[in-house]
Amino acid sequence: MIFYGKHSVDETDIEAVVEVLRHQFLTQGSVVPQFEEALCQYTGADYCTAVNSATSGLHVACLAAGVGSGDLVWTVPNSFVASANCALFCGASVDFVDIDKQSRNISISQLIAKLENAKRLGKLPKALILVHFSGLSCDMQAIAEVIAPYEVVLIEDAAHALGGQYQTEKIGSCQYSDMAVLSFHPVKSITSAEGGAVLTNS
Ligand SMILES: *Cc1c(COP(=O)(O)O)cnc(C)c1O
């Protein structure tokens, strides 16, 4: 049988949890800022906020981007539902940019065509949410150049991409984006049972 995901929890992980269980604070304690700092160190992003899941991370990223009722958010169809639902949580509408057959990530030629068309129709998106499929990075520099004239907030759904790399930077560095969102669900790169984080340089 091939499992969808299989977590690896060793004795040091269990000891770390026991240490928290003996602490005065079970949530919101000192381990959270330590974890946020470690994520900044690893990815190179300036700021990190831990949340209870990547779903919540995407939701607050959209809120921080100012996404609201009447807005449009674009994402890719080759993803988990949260990449699109976060826009609906904010009262916005969702539209999709298709993926590239080779990379499984957003198609840059389709993105260019869709942006040109949306500009003509006056229907540009407030935010674009990219997915780094299975940890393979989107071409961030190319995408940042394409969207530069349009004032679109760029959010990376890096839920399964912690540990991946783009050019010389780790995924999550936000070198070319406004925010990146990580998941720590058991099927992802590292797990806190449930959990997520939002990274940003702003
Ligand atoms: C798993 C996943 C999420 C949601 O992560 P949770 O932490 O379970 O909320 C969001 N986006 C993508 C691409 C995912 O694979």
Side-chain angles (χ1 to χ4, degrees):
M1 185 173 178
I2 299 171
F3 293 97
Y4 174 54
K6 182 106 179 64
H7 52 266
S8 146
V9 172
D10 66 19
E11 279 309 311
T12 62
D13 298 325
I14 291 166
E15 279 163 26
V17 172
V18 170
E19 211 175 297
V20 171
L21 289 174
R22 293 192 199 285
H23 196 268
Q24 184 186 359
F25 299 106
L26 284 191
T27 70
Q28 313 272 309
S30 58
V31 174
V32 176
Q34 280 169 28
F35 185 44
E36 291 168 337
E37 180 54 33
L39 289 168
C40 285
Q41 289 280 326
Y42 181 80
T43 59
D46 289 337
Y47 307 101
C48 177
T49 297
V51 285
N52 66 313
S53 68
T55 300
S56 296
L58 288 161
H59 185 185
V60 293
C62 282
L63 291 175
V67 172
S69 163
D71 287 329
L72 257 172
V73 172
W74 290 1
T75 187
V76 285
N78 190 31
S79 187
F80 181 62
V81 288
S83 315
N85 277 350
C86 54
L88 303 181
F89 297 159
C90 300
S93 309
V94 184
D95 200 359
F96 297 98
V97 185
D98 212 345
I99 58 161
D100 177 86
K101 274 187 198 162
Q102 217 61 44
S103 70
R104 268 73 163 170
N105 285 329
I106 191 167
S107 159
I108 294 175
S109 59
Q110 299 242 11
L111 176 64
I112 292 168
K114 201 173 171 79
L115 281 167
E116 284 169 359
N117 193 41
K119 187 175 183 183
R120 256 197 311 275
L121 299 172
K123 286 188 163 178
L124 283 165
K126 183 100 182 182
L128 172 63
I129 302 176
L130 303 170
V131 178
H132 304 299
F133 193 71
S134 292
L136 295 172
S137 181
C138 299
D139 189 346
M140 295 304 297
Q141 187 174 4
I143 292 161
E145 279 167 17
V146 165
I147 66 163
Y150 296 100
E151 283 183 53
V152 175
V153 178
L154 189 55
I155 300 169
E156 301 171 69
D157 181 341
H160 37 87
L162 182 64
Q165 188 153 335
Y166 176 70
Q167 294 173 342
T168 58
E169 305 294 317
K170 294 284 183 198
I171 289 179
S173 75
C174 299
Q175 187 185 8
Y176 295 103
S177 74
D178 296 291
M179 288 168 271
V181 179
L182 304 171
S183 171
F184 310 116
H185 179 279
V187 301
K188 319 293 174 158
S189 325
I190 63 170
T191 186
S192 56
E194 293 279 5
V198 185
L199 299 157
T200 184
N201 293 329
S202 166

